[in-house]
Amino acid sequence: MSKTLKEFLEDCQMLGTLRLIVTSNAAVLEVRGKIEKLFYADLPKGKYANLHNKDFEFHLNMDRISKIRFETGEAKHGNFTTYSIRFLDNMEKPALSLFLQWVKPGEYESGQVEAWNALKTSYGEVWQLELSKNL
């Protein structure tokens, strides 16, 4: 596939409200928000995608992402399907997870699941990035 991670992130804007999850060995941070108004910076540490809104700031070093994986699962609380996109590093560990955020358990925003499925169809269940083409 000849698309870039930048293009993928732009495509993620159609997903609506998401739960963005970043996990380290000491903490987990979860925020709700939309992928929108992205801007990019080429810094000595790497190429970054940036998002600022009234509730949080987010910065993704795109050079550290090697694979995108689409996953479905069973909700931990409730009997419904969850939809996520994992951004994996070169060790195949999740650097970022995007979950479709439900309005009420099992009820997603109109068109959200269809948008997730369209992205999965376009990029494949697992998309190996060409690292030189991230920005």
Side-chain angles (χ1 to χ4, degrees):
M1 169 174 287
S2 62
K3 287 204 169 195
T4 65
L5 183 53
K6 179 180 177 183
E7 290 170 307
F8 180 79
L9 289 167
E10 297 290 332
D11 289 346
C12 285
Q13 293 184 76
M14 68 180 168
L15 293 172
T17 306
L18 301 167
R19 181 175 295 262
L20 292 81
I21 302 171
V22 177
T23 304
S24 77
N25 61 358
V28 175
L29 177 64
E30 299 185 19
V31 296
R32 292 180 190 187
K34 296 181 179 185
I35 303 288
E36 58 188 2
K37 300 178 185 171
L38 292 168
F39 61 98
Y40 302 89
D42 195 355
L43 303 173
K45 295 191 294 184
K47 296 175 183 105
Y48 280 81
N50 304 282
L51 163 67
H52 294 180
N53 69 28
K54 66 182 177 89
D55 297 315
F56 65 91
E57 292 184 17
F58 175 73
H59 311 281
L60 177 67
N61 186 335
M62 297 189 302
D63 289 342
R64 301 289 177 116
I65 305 302
S66 63
K67 190 179 286 186
I68 303 290
R69 187 173 62 220
F70 289 80
E71 299 177 356
T72 58
E74 184 71 24
K76 291 180 183 174
H77 303 288
N79 184 23
F80 62 94
T81 302
T82 60
Y83 301 87
S84 65
I85 300 171
R86 307 275 186 191
F87 291 66
L88 306 175
D89 64 19
N90 62 358
M91 303 286 287
E92 301 222 7
K93 292 185 179 180
L96 168 67
S97 298
L98 303 179
F99 278 79
L100 297 187
Q101 181 61 56
W102 50 88
V103 179
K104 292 195 286 187
E107 292 181 24
Y108 293 98
E109 294 173 3
S110 178
Q112 230 180 352
V113 173
E114 294 81 3
W116 184 90
N117 279 315
L119 281 176
K120 181 180 173 188
T121 298
S122 179
Y123 289 89
E125 189 170 337
V126 177
W127 176 40
Q128 182 70 49
L129 280 76
E130 295 179 45
L131 293 180
S132 62
K133 293 187 173 186
N134 279 350
L135 186 58

